[in-house]
Amino acid sequence: VRSIHGGAMGTPLQPAVAVAIYRALLRSCRNGRTPEVFGPRAATAWANTASAALSDSAQDGLPVAHVHVPDSPESVRRAMRQLFDTPVDSFVAHNIEIPPPFDVLREANSRSQTLLPNSSAIPTRLPIFDYEHAALLPGEETTFRFFEPRYKRLVEASTSSENGADGWFLLRMRLPYYSILARIVEHEKLPNGDYA
């Protein structure tokens, strides 16, 4: 792992920091087995890095391959390695913006905790949100605006450090026997007392 820039200014990270981030990202994605923890920004970064490499290859007269998003643990590790090994100058030359690595790591850790929770991390008692018009698929994100008092209490109960719920709740649909384990990863109390 040679270099990756640390932020908007394009300053390279120290090699030891780049290695630490690279290893932490590998842990977040379980060594490439769960690339979904990186979210859509990672797919864009991989595609941009690959297209820059392909553009350089085409200019050098080398055969050009197709750009694809990694789909196996090995290809995820290879794509991450390529992203970290690509010199900052190459990103700048191709006008490619790569998200700051600490932001990617923070997002990957949050997604990993939500998509792949340890059973010990989920409380034994969870608030239940009854809502017949909502359904989520694994990994899907949505926004809610809670304005009813019972749902405001749900947000407070699931995000309270006293309960240890860490944002977890059950989204129960009106269909019998169907509930979705969901997690509030960000919330804000609005001036009118609603939560978003």
Side-chain angles (χ1 to χ4, degrees), residues 118-196:
N118 294 330
S119 58
S120 62
I122 301 172
T124 55
R125 294 180 54 120
L126 294 170
I128 296 175
F129 177 57
D130 284 314
Y131 190 63
E132 64 186 57
H133 301 292
L136 295 172
L137 297 172
E140 186 178 11
E141 295 179 8
T142 190
T143 57
F144 287 105
R145 183 173 181 143
F146 299 105
F147 55 89
E148 291 183 38
R150 63 184 172 153
Y151 296 137
K152 289 182 194 180
R153 287 192 301 272
L154 173 132
V155 172
E156 291 165 358
S158 63
T159 58
S160 168
S161 59
E162 295 171 14
N163 298 353
D166 199 25
W168 293 104
F169 67 96
L170 287 175
L171 179 62
R172 185 167 55 191
M173 300 178 295
R174 296 289 182 213
L175 299 172
Y177 311 113
Y178 289 97
S179 292
I180 300 163
L181 180 63
R183 184 172 180 222
I184 298 171
V185 292
E186 289 181 36
H187 72 285
E188 172 185 6
K189 189 169 187 173
L190 303 175
N192 67 355
D194 293 355
Y195 284 98

Side-chain angles (χ1 to χ4, degrees), residues 70-94:
D71 57 358
S72 69
E74 182 180 316
S75 65
V76 169
R77 291 189 300 269
R78 191 172 35 249
M80 283 180 57
R81 185 67 182 211
Q82 180 182 8
L83 187 60
F84 274 80
D85 280 348
T86 302
V88 173
D89 300 351
S90 180
F91 295 124
V92 173
H94 294 286

Side-chain angles (χ1 to χ4, degrees), residues 5-8 41 97-105:
H5 63 282
R41 290 192 332 168
E97 189 170 325
I98 300 296
F102 288 108
D103 290 352
V104 173
L105 180 59

